[in-house]
């Protein structure tokens, strides 16, 4: 059967970025989704147009996908900006819009429908838990979503946790919601001494790694507290912490490490492009964030065959089955985290079992190919 998202509909699709074209980190996954959508549309003679609020260097994946790139900030609601958006929609024969991490309700959606947009899909990756709505607010939001005045047609979350948030917190009808777990490119997890050589860590050391943006929301201060507690334990001199990433709070974290006398045991690697080589050289992967929708870092730890630790909240339990392929802990509980690490260090056979199950989980459930297949299948339901 011909790969056809659109059927007989002649309209094209508008993809919307929330950041400059040269921003990195986890935005590679968004580029993957855009390229996947563009490929499906192109196969049936349709086109994809991508809006960036600012265009600098266009990612190679976007260039290869033959996506038309336009500089326009969808967050700008001025009359001039809306007039420009109207021209973009009409000149490019746009009938559908794919958004990422946009508000669940927005008067802009009504404007888009006035401009001729038939369907709007919102893909939500935003982290954190939300308070449940009071009855009256829930009723009002459910009405808005039911009649589409300021609502999208379909909402895709990156985890079941996000899907529940759509329904229970945002008041979106469940029939308008679904989820697709994020995926990663599966990489080789052969154990090497790459990290030891790169960062001068002694051979035979146990290396605990964490990756991501260096900001307080990611819980790096908690990780430093854990490192401090481990340094005070007897027979733990062989334990080293490696943090891979950069961000606005990195200097504060470095100061904390120095002040606590951990400079030789807590290493900042900075932003790296060789994470797929770094992770298999480590032993334990830990995520200490205050709340992730569905953590790519966790999936990477699993893929690397690391014993993986994460807080027991948000979407983490959808990747880690506590005690089977990893260990969950109470968010922010330093003593419990130290206890979990000690358990891993003292039970080598159990650690090997957890690591093996971690790798198996990543390969079987969270490959990028499987993610893309499920993702595009959902969009076919909306864009036919």
């Amino acid at each position: 059967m011909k790969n056809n998202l659109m059927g007989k509909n002649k309209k094209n699709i508008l993809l919307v970025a929330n950041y400059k074209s040269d921003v990195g980190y986890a935005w590679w996954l968004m580029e993957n989704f855009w390229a996947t959508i563009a490929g499906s549309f192109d196969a049936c003679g349709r086109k994809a147009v991508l809006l960036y609020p600012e265009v600098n260097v266009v990612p190679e994946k976007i260039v290869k996908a033959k996506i038309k790139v336009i500089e326009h900030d969808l967050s700008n609601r001025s009359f001039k900006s809306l007039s420009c958006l109207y021209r973009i929609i009409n000149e490019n024969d746009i009938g559908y819009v794919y958004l990422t991490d946009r508000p669940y309700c927005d008067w802009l959606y009504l404007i888009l429908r006035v401009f001729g947009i038939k369907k709007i899909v919102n893909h939500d990756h935003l982290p954190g838990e939300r308070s449940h709505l009071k009855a009256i607010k829930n009723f009002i939001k459910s009405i808005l979503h039911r009649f589409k005045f300021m609502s999208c047609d379909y909402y895709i979350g990156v985890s079941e946790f996000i899907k529940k948030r759509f329904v229970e917190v945002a008041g979106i009808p469940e029939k308008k919601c679904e989820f697709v777990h994020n995926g990663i490119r599966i990489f080789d997890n052969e154990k090497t001494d790459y990290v030891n050589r790169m960062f001068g860590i002694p051979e035979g050391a146990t290396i605990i790694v964490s990756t991501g943006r260096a900001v307080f929301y990611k819980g790096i201060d908690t990780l430093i507290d854990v490192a401090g507690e481990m340094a005070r334990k007897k027979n733990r001199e062989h334990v080293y912490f490696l943090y891979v990433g950069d961000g606005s709070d990195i200097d504060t974290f470095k100061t904390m490490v120095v002040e606590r006398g951990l400079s030789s045991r807590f290493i900042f690697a900075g932003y790296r492009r060789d994470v797929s080589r770094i992770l298999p050289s480590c032993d334990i992967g830990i995520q200490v964030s205050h709340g992730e929708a569905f953590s790519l870092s966790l999936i990477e730890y699993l893929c690397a065959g690391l014993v993986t630790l994460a807080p027991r909240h948000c979407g983490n339990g959808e990747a880690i089955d506590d005690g089977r392929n990893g260990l969950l802990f109470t968010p922010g509980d330093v003593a419990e985290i130290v206890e979990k690490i000690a358990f891993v260090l003292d039970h080598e056979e159990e650690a090997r079992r957890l690591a093996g199950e971690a790798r198996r989980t990543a390969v079987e459930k969270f490959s990028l190919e499987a993610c893309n297949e499920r993702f595009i299948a959902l969009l076919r339901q909306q864009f036919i």
Side-chain angles (χ1 to χ4, degrees):
M1 182 180 292
K2 185 178 180 181
N3 185 7
N4 189 343
L5 275 176
M6 303 291 291
K8 297 180 180 180
N9 197 312
K10 301 295 183 180
K11 297 296 185 178
N12 298 325
I13 188 165
L14 187 68
L15 316 170
V16 181
N18 304 336
Y19 53 89
K20 301 176 184 179
S21 63
D22 55 352
V23 172
Y25 288 102
W27 296 116
W28 69 265
L29 186 60
M30 304 303 104
E31 293 161 10
N32 160 77
F33 289 136
W34 296 331
T36 300
I37 292 171
S40 293
F41 270 65
D42 184 67
C44 57
R46 310 296 183 245
K47 300 298 180 183
V49 177
L50 173 58
L51 300 186
Y52 280 109
E54 183 179 318
V55 177
N56 298 309
V57 178
V58 178
E60 182 180 359
K61 193 171 189 69
I62 300 303
V63 174
K64 288 183 176 179
K66 300 178 181 179
I67 299 173
K68 181 177 181 179
V69 173
I70 297 176
E71 183 172 304
H72 180 84
D73 187 357
L74 197 69
S75 298
N76 186 338
R77 308 300 176 85
S78 68
F79 178 79
K80 180 179 179 181
S81 180
L82 291 175
S83 297
C84 180
L85 178 62
Y86 177 77
R87 288 195 300 272
I88 291 171
I89 289 172
N90 282 277
E91 290 173 2
N92 292 280
D93 197 24
I94 302 296
Y96 299 88
V97 175
Y98 170 76
L99 304 171
T100 304
D101 299 339
R102 291 283 173 167
Y104 298 158
C105 279
D106 195 331
W107 62 265
L108 179 64
Y109 303 151
L110 178 59
I111 297 297
L112 288 173
R113 298 186 196 284
V114 172
F115 287 173
I117 299 301
K118 296 181 180 297
K119 281 197 175 181
I120 304 168
V121 171
N122 196 351
H123 196 173
D124 188 14
H125 304 71
L126 290 174
E129 297 180 323
R130 307 285 191 274
S131 300
H132 283 61
L133 296 174
K134 293 183 178 180
I136 185 63
K137 287 186 177 180
N138 187 282
F139 174 75
I140 293 172
K141 285 197 171 186
S142 66
I143 294 297
L144 290 174
H145 286 297
R146 195 174 302 278
F147 291 99
K148 299 196 307 185
F149 296 129
M150 296 187 294
S151 176
C152 299
D153 296 272
Y154 202 60
Y155 295 83
I156 302 175
V158 297
S159 61
E160 188 172 8
F161 162 74
I162 297 299
K163 180 182 177 181
K164 289 180 179 178
R165 190 169 75 189
F166 289 153
V167 177
E168 298 173 3
V169 177
I172 302 171
E174 188 171 2
K175 66 181 180 180
K176 294 175 60 173
C177 307
E178 196 45 86
F179 74 94
V180 176
H181 285 136
N182 285 337
I184 63 168
R185 301 180 185 93
I186 301 299
F187 52 83
D188 180 40
N189 74 323
E190 182 180 357
K191 179 73 172 178
T192 71
D193 63 350
Y194 183 72
V195 164
N196 302 80
R197 291 185 286 106
M198 288 294 296
F199 302 103
I201 298 175
E203 183 179 350
T206 296
I207 304 172
I208 301 175
V209 65
S210 189
T211 63
R213 287 183 296 113
V215 294
F216 274 94
Y217 186 81
K218 296 294 185 178
I220 313 308
D221 51 330
T222 298
L223 188 62
I224 294 171
D225 289 341
V226 170
E229 289 298 313
M230 290 300 299
R232 285 190 281 273
K233 300 287 185 182
K234 291 183 179 180
N235 303 318
R236 302 303 188 199
E237 296 82 4
H238 64 292
V239 177
Y240 286 74
F241 288 78
L242 179 68
Y243 187 77
V244 182
D246 199 0
S248 58
D249 297 323
I250 188 69
D251 290 337
T252 302
F253 297 139
K254 287 181 177 179
T255 299
M256 291 172 64
V257 165
V258 171
E259 291 177 345
R260 300 182 190 193
L262 298 172
S263 297
S264 63
R265 303 272 293 275
F266 197 111
I267 300 166
F268 290 94
Y271 176 70
R272 308 281 302 197
R273 296 185 179 276
D274 55 351
V275 173
S276 62
R277 294 188 67 187
I278 287 175
L279 293 181
S281 303
C282 302
D283 302 284
I284 298 173
I286 183 168
Q287 187 249 85
V288 284
S289 175
H290 293 297
E292 297 293 326
F294 192 75
S295 172
L296 286 176
S297 292
L298 278 190
I299 306 307
E300 290 173 339
Y301 304 158
L302 296 176
C303 183
L306 304 183
V307 178
T308 303
L309 281 66
R312 190 182 289 101
H313 62 23
C314 297
N316 292 341
E318 296 172 48
I320 296 181
D321 181 2
D322 191 23
R324 184 185 68 81
N325 64 348
L327 300 172
L328 298 175
F329 55 81
T330 304
D333 191 329
V334 173
E336 184 179 349
I337 299 171
V338 170
E339 181 181 333
K340 299 279 186 179
I341 293 173
F343 174 83
V344 173
L345 297 177
D346 295 337
H347 297 81
E348 293 184 8
E349 185 174 340
E350 178 66 5
R352 282 194 293 271
R353 186 193 65 78
L354 288 169
E357 288 296 326
R359 173 69 177 183
R360 187 174 297 109
T361 298
V363 172
E364 294 179 355
K365 295 183 62 178
F366 300 122
S367 71
L368 188 61
E369 292 77 14
C371 169
N372 286 342
E373 184 177 332
R374 293 191 294 269
F375 170 72
I376 210 66
L378 285 180
L379 290 192
R380 285 195 186 101
Q381 298 173 16
Q382 297 305 308
F383 295 146
I384 289 177

